[in-house]
Amino acid sequence: MRTPFVAGNWKMNKTSTEAKALILELKDGLEKITNVEIVVCPPFISVPAVSNLLETSSIGVGTQNVHWEDNGAYTGEISAPMVKEFANYVIIGHSERRTYFGETDETVNLRLKAALKAGLIPIVCVGETLEENEAGKTFDIVSNQIRNGFTGITESEMKSVVVAYEPVWAIGTGKACDAETANEVILKTIREPIQAMFGADVSSELRILYGGSVKGSNAKEYFSQPDIDGALVGGASLKPDFIDIAKAAGAC
Ligand code: PEP
């Protein structure tokens, strides 16, 4: 039985003051949901403040990226040991990082290894673009992202990993991928390749999220699917709707 998992990606939204106000608005509602692992991922600069407010809370905190070196001449970057002082989770390979900041499967793999070494729980994002989807390349693209992204990871490290399938064309567009299709892509391009790489136990225990325009009103459709264990939520995680999404995850 996989514990449902819901993560909120606040992207580049909210000043530190606003981030504190947002978590105080969501905290009580989220804490009542005891059977779902719930995580919020504010911008780096707000992570200490949010983490401080959640010190005794069941709600976890994550960052939206991490560098692969522990320290050094990498201006503007944040390393995994730095993250670990304030957070236990990290999003890796989000499509906005891949599209706007040149991330590749290789850098995803490096970041993943650094996160695991520091004891962070990685939420690794994969997904095809609209062009790739329309060209019928979804299965090849996503399964390659999985194979390349997870090269050199051990079976025991895989136990803490979470994967998010996020079709790029569904992120922030209001055009969600239908639930049956998302489940099929997840099964064929994530769960089955992971089984081939790491065995049936790792594959059946791996938590796989759907991400892309999830809202309180459509969340249940996704969580009712056998291979979808939760959601990575962008826009709706900045609103009380996030509580309804987490509730829906706990009810399925
Ligand atoms: C995301 O940021 O990962 C995401 C899925 O965004 P949205 O829910 O807004 O589509």
Side-chain angles (χ1 to χ4, degrees):
M1 185 51 192
R2 300 185 291 261
T3 306
F5 189 104
V6 171
N9 173 15
W10 292 3
K11 310 196 192 201
M12 196 177 74
N13 290 297
K14 306 290 173 189
T15 63
S16 200
T17 305
E18 290 165 348
K20 284 191 274 183
L22 176 60
I23 199 57
L24 290 175
E25 184 187 352
L26 301 179
K27 188 172 177 286
D28 288 354
L30 291 175
E31 283 172 348
K32 289 197 183 96
I33 306 159
T34 53
N35 59 345
V36 179
E37 195 168 335
I38 302 172
V39 178
V40 293
C41 302
F44 279 127
I45 201 156
S46 303
V47 165
V50 170
S51 162
N52 195 28
L53 289 173
L54 295 178
E55 210 172 341
T56 58
S57 173
S58 54
I59 306 165
V61 180
T63 58
Q64 300 170 16
N65 191 19
V66 70
H67 196 264
W68 53 85
E69 295 291 346
D70 284 354
N71 47 57
Y74 300 98
T75 302
E77 294 294 317
I78 307 272
S79 75
M82 294 172 189
V83 169
K84 188 70 176 112
E85 281 196 5
F86 298 99
N88 287 317
Y89 300 82
V90 57
I91 298 172
I92 295 177
H94 191 279
S95 69
E96 287 152 16
R97 302 284 329 160
R98 293 180 191 252
T99 306
Y100 305 133
F101 303 101
E103 295 221 3
T104 61
D105 292 347
E106 288 64 40
T107 58
V108 166
N109 183 252
L110 290 171
R111 291 176 208 276
L112 173 60
K113 287 176 176 158
L116 289 166
K117 190 175 110 194
L120 293 165
I121 297 176
I123 304 164
V124 180
C125 303
V126 291
E128 81 288 1
T129 63
L130 181 61
E131 214 179 14
E132 290 160 348
N133 182 283
E134 287 175 345
K137 293 185 180 157
T138 300
F139 283 53
D140 284 349
I141 295 287
V142 181
S143 57
N144 274 331
Q145 288 174 338
I146 291 291
R147 271 187 285 273
N148 297 333
F150 287 97
T151 296
I153 306 300
T154 66
E155 251 176 66
S156 85
E157 285 173 329
M158 282 305 291
K159 297 204 161 90
S160 69
V161 168
V162 176
V163 177
Y165 169 57
E166 298 209 302
V168 178
W169 48 272
I171 299 176
T173 58
K175 271 198 258 161
C177 174
D178 79 81
E180 285 79 19
T181 306
N183 192 75
E184 197 199 351
V185 176
I186 283 173
L187 178 64
K188 299 278 179 219
T189 69
I190 303 175
R191 218 175 279 289
E192 290 182 0
I194 291 288
Q195 177 167 348
M197 290 172 85
F198 299 101
D201 286 352
V202 168
S203 166
S204 65
E205 282 163 28
L206 178 70
R207 283 174 305 167
I208 308 179
L209 319 179
Y210 167 74
S213 300
V214 175
K215 304 177 271 220
S217 56
N218 65 9
K220 188 168 175 252
E221 292 166 36
Y222 295 101
F223 304 151
S224 312
Q225 295 293 323
D227 285 291
I228 301 182
D229 305 309
L232 179 54
V233 184
S237 72
L238 299 165
K239 302 183 241 176
D241 206 24
F242 189 54
I243 301 170
D244 293 334
I245 295 171
K247 263 190 210 151
C252 285

